[in-house]
Amino acid sequence: MSSAGARVGVGTRFRYDGESVEVVEMAATTAGNEVVLKDAQGRVRRLTLKELLFSDRAQIIPEEGGPAADDIEEIASVVLGQLGEDERQRVLERASHVREVLTGYRSGHGEFADEGEPRPEYAPSLRAESKYAAKANELGVSVRTVKQWVADFRQHGEAGLTPKRTRHGRSQPSADDRWVETALEVMVEHTGQSRPSRTLVIERTRARVIARFGPEVVRQPSRATAFRILAELEGRHPLFRLSTKRNRDIADRPEGPYGKLRPTRPGEYLLMDTTRLDVFAFDPLTLRWVQAELSVGMDWYTRCITGIRVTPVSTKAVDVAAVLFESFRPRPAGRDWPRGAVWPEHGIPRTVLLDVEGATGAGLASPPVVPETLVVDHGKVYVSEHLTSVCRRMGISIQPARLRTGRDKGPVERFFRTLREGLLESLPGYKGPDIHSRGENPEGDAFFFLDELEAIIREWTATVYHCRPHSSLVDPGLPGLQMSPAQMFEHGMARAGYIEVPRDRDLAFEFLPTKWRTVQHYGVEIGRRRYSGPGLPAPGIRRPYEGPVKNGWPFQVDPDDVTRIYFRDPDSRVWHTLTWEHAPSATMPLSEDALVFARKLAAAKYRYPDDRLAVADLLERWNLGLGTTLAERRMVLRLSREQAALELPPAEEPEAASLPSVRGALRREAGPAQSGTPEQAVEVGDDDEVDGEVIDVDDFYADALGDV
């Protein structure tokens, strides 16, 4: 048997700094054992034996053969680990036969002999040739096969009795390396193209090999071998098995090892991204089905969602700023939310700081966190001048992710998938993640307005997502403990000892776009809307700004709520809220787009419309769901009838139906005594019934309005 050791003494040869040297003397000194080396030129050097044996500069040159790290043979654990259960049993059985030939006992030792061992034909006193012949006759194989088994067993043990393919690795299809490299080159060229067939890749590979190396130079594999080669290359460059989008994503992976940012406390990194939701919504302005986009901000360490924004396609820079605005000034929690989903007013968990007022107050929908770094993609809305300038003012760094590399924002991408699987697919109007998953008519089921859809997502995030344990939220010291985002926030405070919170919540107003206007005796006019309130400078006061408008003052405007604007006194540096003169007519926040649409409706209906009348008509339009044209009227009447026929799903339905926001949007049949709101269903009076038959509402209005 070969040995893994080598003798070191006089005459032993080493490779030292690339030169061959020989030990000519060994001496024991007070500092330790030393050796004297002599190279081929006769030069002599003295080294310690420790340096010679353990330094990376020296390597022994053994005189006899033995195992080495660069052997082609795999180690025994790798060889045996490739075997299935049946193959493993056959190898063990064959090893017992070999041990019986060598020792006379199937176990290999007399202390563990079975009954009747050793058998007469395998007695240790017999010659080896007779035992080989007896075992060959017993197993029905040749004597040469038995001898080969014995030789392999002596050299490699039980691993030597395994099939050849497991000892030398998986067998590869036989083909010229030049043909294989050319095939891989052709596959890489199709990364950004539509998926080709395997036959097309084979034909292009053959043509390119002939053009590059000449005919009859590179042996062309058979069609079956070529298919096996492409199957092997599929592992190096996927092209045929996965979707083309997935293949492009794999091809764009970095060549080196993956790097990863490692957050250590809440607020260190804020991930921001926008995705198109897989559910249709209803736009109250145009009364049409629209695709909604969701923009979120996620604290990387805790996975807490700090900002949510649902908009129709496409998202604007002000929408992204609004998501970041919520990190500074979170929205109040819903009235029906459970206590565990509500954050105290100060944003610090109740288990960390006991505050009676914060624990019993209305609370917040998410914790207020000041991010240190924003991780965003290269979308125009995320690299806009407004957002970057405000982040520079706030001291927030912006770190763009790599182009077309979604894994750089992996946690927020995973949130989008969890949202789809945990909530969106349970809602009406769900259309699936791609065209192959689309239903027959998802638009016919959708009835949620955009604001309703956003409220549902907010409530699900607070009551379900923030309270559910996540497999990725673990403490390395307690690997078996999975925590929810809310618990991870508490853990982050206990670990870091602090969190970054807004030093001044009014700094959030700086995320809003600025409008320059002059101050008149009646107040300020922006977009034909007049605002007034305490803190507004008197007309004629000299302004301290050099703005684009002569004698203009800066005002911060929220496009999603035009009922108020914000002004900062240049002397006291205090922010003041200015209210729109028609704000009492609006019972909800009114966006600028909604007001423009309301003015358009009022101008078509009244001779002398004003904003008060326009807002009143718009609210009536939203409440009643009635259009102005014949097509809109018939469409909304039909929707009203379908909504009135919907019932609340039973308790065993998905958890999305249990959210108060979803129940409120689904509750259409309840009367005024039950729901507390006016009945929205289409009323059917006595005139709608003729001879016991109810007239269809669509047909009735089609005839009644036909001459309009």
Side-chain angles (χ1 to χ4, degrees), residues 176-186 201-221:
D176 195 298
D177 292 339
R178 292 171 290 183
W179 196 95
V180 175
E181 294 299 327
T182 305
L184 181 62
E185 179 183 324
V186 174
V201 173
I202 294 173
E203 294 299 329
R204 290 188 176 181
T205 301
R206 289 178 175 174
R208 185 170 301 184
V209 166
I210 294 175
R212 181 174 298 175
F213 303 102
E216 305 299 332
V217 176
V218 177
R219 184 174 62 88
Q220 301 285 349

Side-chain angles (χ1 to χ4, degrees), residues 156-437:
H156 302 290
E158 294 179 351
L161 301 178
T162 58
K164 299 297 183 182
R165 63 176 179 82
T166 60
R167 274 185 273 172
H168 300 280
R170 189 175 180 182
S171 59
Q172 302 290 337
S174 58
D176 195 298
D177 292 339
R178 292 171 290 183
W179 196 95
V180 175
E181 294 299 327
T182 305
L184 181 62
E185 179 183 324
V186 174
M187 294 174 63
V188 172
E189 293 176 355
H190 283 83
T191 300
Q193 304 176 9
S194 300
R195 179 189 300 172
S197 64
R198 292 177 174 82
T199 302
L200 177 63
V201 173
I202 294 173
E203 294 299 329
R204 290 188 176 181
T205 301
R206 289 178 175 174
R208 185 170 301 184
V209 166
I210 294 175
R212 181 174 298 175
F213 303 102
E216 305 299 332
V217 176
V218 177
R219 184 174 62 88
Q220 301 285 349
S222 64
R223 180 178 176 85
T225 302
F227 270 83
R228 288 195 295 269
I229 294 174
L230 294 185
E232 293 290 337
L233 296 178
E234 180 76 7
R236 298 171 57 182
H237 186 84
L239 182 64
F240 308 107
R241 180 171 54 88
L242 304 174
S243 65
T244 55
K245 182 178 182 299
R246 178 59 175 164
N247 292 335
R248 288 193 296 269
D249 180 68
I250 295 176
D252 291 336
R253 289 174 177 173
E255 296 182 359
Y258 290 175
K260 183 178 181 181
L261 296 175
R262 299 189 180 277
T264 58
R265 61 186 179 275
E268 187 174 2
Y269 295 102
L270 184 70
L271 305 176
M272 298 187 68
D273 200 6
T274 301
T275 187
R276 184 168 296 183
L277 296 178
D278 299 327
V279 62
F280 283 107
F282 198 67
D283 190 354
L285 302 182
T286 61
L287 294 179
R288 293 180 180 177
W289 307 119
V290 295
Q291 287 189 339
E293 285 190 348
L294 172 66
S295 301
V296 299
M298 171 188 284
D299 178 61
W300 195 340
Y301 181 81
T302 64
R303 307 297 198 272
C304 285
I305 304 299
T306 61
I308 294 177
R309 178 78 172 163
V310 176
T311 58
V313 180
S314 62
T315 304
K316 303 178 182 179
V318 66
D319 300 321
V320 177
V323 174
L324 191 56
F325 177 87
E326 287 189 30
S327 297
F328 282 75
R329 296 180 67 93
R331 292 195 176 188
R335 292 178 298 177
D336 299 331
W337 289 10
R339 184 175 180 273
V342 179
W343 294 82
E345 295 287 350
H346 42 63
I348 301 178
R350 297 183 179 89
T351 57
V352 178
L353 178 64
L354 180 59
D355 185 352
V356 178
E357 282 189 19
T360 59
L364 303 175
S366 59
V369 175
V370 176
E372 299 179 16
T373 302
L374 297 184
V375 181
V376 298
D377 54 23
H378 294 263
K380 292 183 179 179
V381 295
Y382 291 103
V383 295
S384 61
E385 180 182 356
H386 174 69
L387 184 63
T388 54
S389 61
V390 172
C391 289
R392 188 178 299 110
R393 150 81 170 160
M394 301 293 179
I396 302 174
S397 303
I398 298 180
Q399 179 171 330
R402 289 169 294 183
L403 289 173
R404 297 183 300 275
T405 309
R407 68 184 62 87
D408 286 352
K409 307 185 303 299
V412 70
E413 298 289 351
R414 187 60 177 88
F415 168 75
F416 291 148
R417 175 184 171 184
T418 303
L419 176 67
R420 173 173 60 85
E421 297 177 351
L423 176 67
L424 297 183
E425 65 182 10
S426 303
L427 298 179
Y430 175 71
K431 62 182 182 64
D434 50 50
I435 191 172
H436 303 288
S437 307

